[in-house]
Amino acid sequence: MKLEKLLERIDYKVLAGSTDIEISTLVYDSRKVEKASVFVCISGAVSDAHDFIPDVVKKGAAAVVVEKDVTPIDGVTYIKVDDTRLALACMSAAYFDYPAEKIKTIGITGTKGKTTTTYMVKSILESAGIKTGLIGTIESICGDRKIPSANTTPESYRVQELFKEMVDEGLDAVVMEVSSQALMLHRVSGFTFDIGVFTNLEPDHIGEHEHKDFADYMHCKSLLFRQCRLGIFNGDDEHLEGIMKGHTCQVETYGYKSTNNLVAENVELKKEHGALGVKYHVSGLLDFDVEVNVPGKFSVYNSLTAIAICHHFNVDKKAIEEALHHVSVKGRIEIVPVTKRYTLMIDYAHNAMALESLLTTLKEYEPGRLVCLFGCGGNRAKSRRYEMGEVSSKLADLTVVTSDNPRDEEPMDIINDILQGVHKADGEYVTIPDRKEAIRYCMENAKDGDIIVLAGKGHEDYQEIKGVKHHMDERELIADIIKENPDIRL
């Protein structure tokens, strides 16, 4: 492939050499450079790839793309751009022959609801015969392949590579989570989404290595709606105006308010035989009843979002009803059937905001007791421990403090930090460091009508201790506990 082909949709300046050269690979990781590679220099928070130019030239790189002033080395083509992250996105799209133009692309952004909604959309579209890929926090799914994820949204090169694999697989659409970081760092630049979606916005991801303030966070989220054809928005969110600022797309809204294009009416909480969910009627652009076996007001929003998206694929409402009735997302309010006496669920809530939202939602179901089991990760901010401890003690009838990913810290040190928060409220609590034994305690001491939440691990199937990830899946722990004590299911 010619270098000039990779650069055809970019503004650039040739500092040295020629663009009329053959390129073997497009690379942004210096370790992967080979003979005739073009190396894109990304300025990162930890290291600056411009520093590695002499190394990649020695490895045989034919060209480098820079955003800083550098001294060219003879025999190598130097391309100067304003932003190498944007250049990488555009070059990646060209490298894989613009796969986003051969598949329907759906991007979902927002503080909460992205993961669940992507799975709902995939479930509905697949049930209607529309082959759909997924890129998200838990995994990427391409046909029968499932690839574990490192980031909510991968680097732009990987996004385009996944699109290409999905096109080659014969898929019709792809639904993906789009984080604010991804928008800020151009991971989803270089193409236009067919549909962009906004779920909600709350203060999050604000700090030294993320967004400097809430305004910056909101601005980055809003960028999605300058690169999509249709924007579907939560019309009830208080930050709607800020998210829509500068949008260039067609607009559609959903929510509880009657002014929305799709409206949720007559919402009921559903609680029967250890299962929790919601029922409601959707009106406006569509008119039918919906039943979802995932609890909470946010399940109404998530499912309504999915309906709004799938409506544009002309999916029959019966297919939507059926898919939503059976949808389940690993680690996101995932109910594990054990007995009809009580409800046991696994959820990824691993900060105070998420935990408070979850517990507040579950209290609306008027459980006999609300039991919350959780721990906190090591080598992370201690404030999270105090905050989660206080939230659980305030909202749950019983808090079971255990271990999560202690990493390089001692589990009991983390637990003692959590207890400082627990003591700020008046909820009952027990401390059981071994997570399996903590789960066993919850199950063996469960009372009729209890809702038990195992929070923090969600989809994760490991526990990280002293730099080593040990396999640990809470679903397997529950199965082992039942096998060791079958009477626990009675």
PDB file of all heavy atoms in Angstrom, residues 146-165:
ATOM      1  N   LYS A 146     -15.419 -14.070  20.791  1.00  0.00           N
ATOM      2  CA  LYS A 146     -15.508 -13.091  21.871  1.00  0.00           C
ATOM      3  C   LYS A 146     -14.093 -12.744  22.330  1.00  0.00           C
ATOM      4  O   LYS A 146     -13.324 -13.630  22.703  1.00  0.00           O
ATOM      5  CB  LYS A 146     -16.325 -13.648  23.045  1.00  0.00           C
ATOM      6  CG  LYS A 146     -17.789 -13.881  22.699  1.00  0.00           C
ATOM      7  CD  LYS A 146     -18.615 -14.280  23.912  1.00  0.00           C
ATOM      8  CE  LYS A 146     -20.091 -14.418  23.559  1.00  0.00           C
ATOM      9  NZ  LYS A 146     -20.918 -14.737  24.745  1.00  0.00           N
ATOM     10  N   ILE A 147     -13.769 -11.459  22.271  1.00  0.00           N
ATOM     11  CA  ILE A 147     -12.414 -11.002  22.616  1.00  0.00           C
ATOM     12  C   ILE A 147     -12.504 -10.106  23.849  1.00  0.00           C
ATOM     13  O   ILE A 147     -13.160  -9.067  23.804  1.00  0.00           O
ATOM     14  CB  ILE A 147     -11.792 -10.214  21.444  1.00  0.00           C
ATOM     15  CG1 ILE A 147     -11.886 -11.026  20.138  1.00  0.00           C
ATOM     16  CG2 ILE A 147     -10.358  -9.826  21.742  1.00  0.00           C
ATOM     17  CD1 ILE A 147     -12.726 -10.388  19.076  1.00  0.00           C
ATOM     18  N   PRO A 148     -11.872 -10.505  24.981  1.00  0.00           N
ATOM     19  CA  PRO A 148     -11.924  -9.671  26.195  1.00  0.00           C
ATOM     20  C   PRO A 148     -11.389  -8.268  25.928  1.00  0.00           C
ATOM     21  O   PRO A 148     -10.455  -8.084  25.137  1.00  0.00           O
ATOM     22  CB  PRO A 148     -11.029 -10.425  27.181  1.00  0.00           C
ATOM     23  CG  PRO A 148     -11.016 -11.834  26.684  1.00  0.00           C
ATOM     24  CD  PRO A 148     -11.103 -11.736  25.191  1.00  0.00           C
ATOM     25  N   SER A 149     -11.969  -7.264  26.576  1.00  0.00           N
ATOM     26  CA  SER A 149     -11.584  -5.872  26.348  1.00  0.00           C
ATOM     27  C   SER A 149     -10.643  -5.343  27.413  1.00  0.00           C
ATOM     28  O   SER A 149     -10.754  -5.707  28.589  1.00  0.00           O
ATOM     29  CB  SER A 149     -12.835  -4.981  26.308  1.00  0.00           C
ATOM     30  OG  SER A 149     -13.670  -5.330  25.234  1.00  0.00           O
ATOM     31  N   ALA A 150      -9.734  -4.462  26.995  1.00  0.00           N
ATOM     32  CA  ALA A 150      -8.835  -3.773  27.928  1.00  0.00           C
ATOM     33  C   ALA A 150      -9.395  -2.391  28.267  1.00  0.00           C
ATOM     34  O   ALA A 150      -9.271  -1.912  29.386  1.00  0.00           O
ATOM     35  CB  ALA A 150      -7.445  -3.646  27.318  1.00  0.00           C
ATOM     36  N   ASN A 151     -10.017  -1.748  27.283  1.00  0.00           N
ATOM     37  CA  ASN A 151     -10.621  -0.426  27.475  1.00  0.00           C
ATOM     38  C   ASN A 151     -12.074  -0.457  27.025  1.00  0.00           C
ATOM     39  O   ASN A 151     -12.471  -1.320  26.239  1.00  0.00           O
ATOM     40  CB  ASN A 151      -9.883   0.639  26.640  1.00  0.00           C
ATOM     41  CG  ASN A 151      -8.442   0.805  27.056  1.00  0.00           C
ATOM     42  OD1 ASN A 151      -8.149   0.947  28.230  1.00  0.00           O
ATOM     43  ND2 ASN A 151      -7.549   0.776  26.080  1.00  0.00           N
ATOM     44  N   THR A 152     -12.866   0.503  27.518  1.00  0.00           N
ATOM     45  CA  THR A 152     -14.251   0.615  27.059  1.00  0.00           C
ATOM     46  C   THR A 152     -14.289   0.756  25.544  1.00  0.00           C
ATOM     47  O   THR A 152     -15.045   0.076  24.853  1.00  0.00           O
ATOM     48  CB  THR A 152     -14.935   1.838  27.709  1.00  0.00           C
ATOM     49  OG1 THR A 152     -14.967   1.643  29.117  1.00  0.00           O
ATOM     50  CG2 THR A 152     -16.353   2.014  27.188  1.00  0.00           C
ATOM     51  N   THR A 153     -13.450   1.646  25.010  1.00  0.00           N
ATOM     52  CA  THR A 153     -13.323   1.825  23.566  1.00  0.00           C
ATOM     53  C   THR A 153     -11.858   1.628  23.192  1.00  0.00           C
ATOM     54  O   THR A 153     -10.992   2.318  23.727  1.00  0.00           O
ATOM     55  CB  THR A 153     -13.771   3.241  23.139  1.00  0.00           C
ATOM     56  OG1 THR A 153     -15.032   3.550  23.740  1.00  0.00           O
ATOM     57  CG2 THR A 153     -13.888   3.326  21.628  1.00  0.00           C
ATOM     58  N   PRO A 154     -11.535   0.700  22.287  1.00  0.00           N
ATOM     59  CA  PRO A 154     -10.130   0.447  21.935  1.00  0.00           C
ATOM     60  C   PRO A 154      -9.500   1.637  21.201  1.00  0.00           C
ATOM     61  O   PRO A 154     -10.181   2.582  20.806  1.00  0.00           O
ATOM     62  CB  PRO A 154     -10.218  -0.770  21.007  1.00  0.00           C
ATOM     63  CG  PRO A 154     -11.601  -1.311  21.151  1.00  0.00           C
ATOM     64  CD  PRO A 154     -12.469  -0.171  21.572  1.00  0.00           C
ATOM     65  N   GLU A 155      -8.189   1.545  20.982  1.00  0.00           N
ATOM     66  CA  GLU A 155      -7.480   2.544  20.183  1.00  0.00           C
ATOM     67  C   GLU A 155      -8.039   2.524  18.760  1.00  0.00           C
ATOM     68  O   GLU A 155      -8.600   1.523  18.308  1.00  0.00           O
ATOM     69  CB  GLU A 155      -5.977   2.234  20.200  1.00  0.00           C
ATOM     70  CG  GLU A 155      -5.093   3.284  19.563  1.00  0.00           C
ATOM     71  CD  GLU A 155      -5.326   4.682  20.118  1.00  0.00           C
ATOM     72  OE1 GLU A 155      -4.813   4.982  21.209  1.00  0.00           O
ATOM     73  OE2 GLU A 155      -6.037   5.461  19.455  1.00  0.00           O
ATOM     74  N   SER A 156      -7.918   3.645  18.052  1.00  0.00           N
ATOM     75  CA  SER A 156      -8.550   3.794  16.738  1.00  0.00           C
ATOM     76  C   SER A 156      -8.152   2.696  15.748  1.00  0.00           C
ATOM     77  O   SER A 156      -8.984   2.203  14.985  1.00  0.00           O
ATOM     78  CB  SER A 156      -8.230   5.167  16.148  1.00  0.00           C
ATOM     79  OG  SER A 156      -6.830   5.354  16.020  1.00  0.00           O
ATOM     80  N   TYR A 157      -6.882   2.305  15.752  1.00  0.00           N
ATOM     81  CA  TYR A 157      -6.419   1.245  14.851  1.00  0.00           C
ATOM     82  C   TYR A 157      -7.209  -0.036  15.090  1.00  0.00           C
ATOM     83  O   TYR A 157      -7.666  -0.706  14.159  1.00  0.00           O
ATOM     84  CB  TYR A 157      -4.920   1.000  15.060  1.00  0.00           C
ATOM     85  CG  TYR A 157      -4.336  -0.111  14.214  1.00  0.00           C
ATOM     86  CD1 TYR A 157      -3.741   0.177  12.991  1.00  0.00           C
ATOM     87  CD2 TYR A 157      -4.376  -1.437  14.629  1.00  0.00           C
ATOM     88  CE1 TYR A 157      -3.197  -0.838  12.199  1.00  0.00           C
ATOM     89  CE2 TYR A 157      -3.847  -2.461  13.857  1.00  0.00           C
ATOM     90  CZ  TYR A 157      -3.258  -2.156  12.639  1.00  0.00           C
ATOM     91  OH  TYR A 157      -2.733  -3.160  11.868  1.00  0.00           O
ATOM     92  N   ARG A 158      -7.392  -0.375  16.383  1.00  0.00           N
ATOM     93  CA  ARG A 158      -8.107  -1.604  16.737  1.00  0.00           C
ATOM     94  C   ARG A 158      -9.594  -1.495  16.403  1.00  0.00           C
ATOM     95  O   ARG A 158     -10.205  -2.481  15.973  1.00  0.00           O
ATOM     96  CB  ARG A 158      -7.912  -1.904  18.227  1.00  0.00           C
ATOM     97  CG  ARG A 158      -8.574  -3.193  18.708  1.00  0.00           C
ATOM     98  CD  ARG A 158      -8.074  -4.407  17.955  1.00  0.00           C
ATOM     99  NE  ARG A 158      -8.688  -5.638  18.431  1.00  0.00           N
ATOM    100  CZ  ARG A 158      -8.938  -6.700  17.672  1.00  0.00           C
ATOM    101  NH1 ARG A 158      -8.605  -6.687  16.382  1.00  0.00           N
ATOM    102  NH2 ARG A 158      -9.508  -7.775  18.170  1.00  0.00           N
ATOM    103  N   VAL A 159     -10.163  -0.303  16.559  1.00  0.00           N
ATOM    104  CA  VAL A 159     -11.566  -0.103  16.187  1.00  0.00           C
ATOM    105  C   VAL A 159     -11.754  -0.416  14.703  1.00  0.00           C
ATOM    106  O   VAL A 159     -12.656  -1.169  14.308  1.00  0.00           O
ATOM    107  CB  VAL A 159     -12.027   1.343  16.493  1.00  0.00           C
ATOM    108  CG1 VAL A 159     -13.386   1.622  15.834  1.00  0.00           C
ATOM    109  CG2 VAL A 159     -12.126   1.582  17.993  1.00  0.00           C
ATOM    110  N   GLN A 160     -10.887   0.151  13.869  1.00  0.00           N
ATOM    111  CA  GLN A 160     -10.996  -0.067  12.426  1.00  0.00           C
ATOM    112  C   GLN A 160     -10.711  -1.526  12.057  1.00  0.00           C
ATOM    113  O   GLN A 160     -11.351  -2.088  11.152  1.00  0.00           O
ATOM    114  CB  GLN A 160     -10.048   0.872  11.677  1.00  0.00           C
ATOM    115  CG  GLN A 160     -10.389   2.343  11.814  1.00  0.00           C
ATOM    116  CD  GLN A 160     -11.710   2.714  11.167  1.00  0.00           C
ATOM    117  OE1 GLN A 160     -12.169   2.063  10.239  1.00  0.00           O
ATOM    118  NE2 GLN A 160     -12.328   3.782  11.663  1.00  0.00           N
ATOM    119  N   GLU A 161      -9.758  -2.124  12.767  1.00  0.00           N
ATOM    120  CA  GLU A 161      -9.451  -3.537  12.517  1.00  0.00           C
ATOM    121  C   GLU A 161     -10.652  -4.416  12.841  1.00  0.00           C
ATOM    122  O   GLU A 161     -10.984  -5.352  12.090  1.00  0.00           O
ATOM    123  CB  GLU A 161      -8.242  -3.953  13.369  1.00  0.00           C
ATOM    124  CG  GLU A 161      -7.759  -5.364  13.110  1.00  0.00           C
ATOM    125  CD  GLU A 161      -6.506  -5.690  13.913  1.00  0.00           C
ATOM    126  OE1 GLU A 161      -6.411  -5.258  15.083  1.00  0.00           O
ATOM    127  OE2 GLU A 161      -5.629  -6.390  13.372  1.00  0.00           O
ATOM    128  N   LEU A 162     -11.342  -4.112  13.961  1.00  0.00           N
ATOM    129  CA  LEU A 162     -12.540  -4.872  14.327  1.00  0.00           C
ATOM    130  C   LEU A 162     -13.651  -4.662  13.307  1.00  0.00           C
ATOM    131  O   LEU A 162     -14.349  -5.613  12.930  1.00  0.00           O
ATOM    132  CB  LEU A 162     -13.021  -4.466  15.719  1.00  0.00           C
ATOM    133  CG  LEU A 162     -12.215  -5.033  16.893  1.00  0.00           C
ATOM    134  CD1 LEU A 162     -12.568  -4.303  18.189  1.00  0.00           C
ATOM    135  CD2 LEU A 162     -12.471  -6.537  17.050  1.00  0.00           C
ATOM    136  N   PHE A 163     -13.818  -3.422  12.855  1.00  0.00           N
ATOM    137  CA  PHE A 163     -14.812  -3.154  11.807  1.00  0.00           C
ATOM    138  C   PHE A 163     -14.521  -4.012  10.579  1.00  0.00           C
ATOM    139  O   PHE A 163     -15.432  -4.608   9.986  1.00  0.00           O
ATOM    140  CB  PHE A 163     -14.793  -1.671  11.402  1.00  0.00           C
ATOM    141  CG  PHE A 163     -15.428  -0.721  12.387  1.00  0.00           C
ATOM    142  CD1 PHE A 163     -15.326   0.652  12.207  1.00  0.00           C
ATOM    143  CD2 PHE A 163     -16.135  -1.183  13.488  1.00  0.00           C
ATOM    144  CE1 PHE A 163     -15.919   1.546  13.090  1.00  0.00           C
ATOM    145  CE2 PHE A 163     -16.730  -0.301  14.387  1.00  0.00           C
ATOM    146  CZ  PHE A 163     -16.619   1.064  14.179  1.00  0.00           C
ATOM    147  N   LYS A 164     -13.251  -4.064  10.179  1.00  0.00           N
ATOM    148  CA  LYS A 164     -12.862  -4.847   8.993  1.00  0.00           C
ATOM    149  C   LYS A 164     -13.178  -6.329   9.210  1.00  0.00           C
ATOM    150  O   LYS A 164     -13.706  -7.007   8.305  1.00  0.00           O
ATOM    151  CB  LYS A 164     -11.360  -4.670   8.736  1.00  0.00           C
ATOM    152  CG  LYS A 164     -10.790  -5.515   7.588  1.00  0.00           C
ATOM    153  CD  LYS A 164     -11.340  -5.083   6.237  1.00  0.00           C
ATOM    154  CE  LYS A 164     -10.488  -5.589   5.073  1.00  0.00           C
ATOM    155  NZ  LYS A 164     -10.347  -7.047   5.018  1.00  0.00           N
ATOM    156  N   GLU A 165     -12.857  -6.848  10.393  1.00  0.00           N
ATOM    157  CA  GLU A 165     -13.146  -8.252  10.689  1.00  0.00           C
ATOM    158  C   GLU A 165     -14.647  -8.523  10.641  1.00  0.00           C
ATOM    159  O   GLU A 165     -15.091  -9.587  10.177  1.00  0.00           O
ATOM    160  CB  GLU A 165     -12.589  -8.621  12.070  1.00  0.00           C
ATOM    161  CG  GLU A 165     -11.066  -8.649  12.122  1.00  0.00           C
ATOM    162  CD  GLU A 165     -10.525  -8.829  13.538  1.00  0.00           C
ATOM    163  OE1 GLU A 165     -11.321  -9.082  14.462  1.00  0.00           O
ATOM    164  OE2 GLU A 165      -9.295  -8.712  13.727  1.00  0.00           O
TER     165      GLU A 165
END
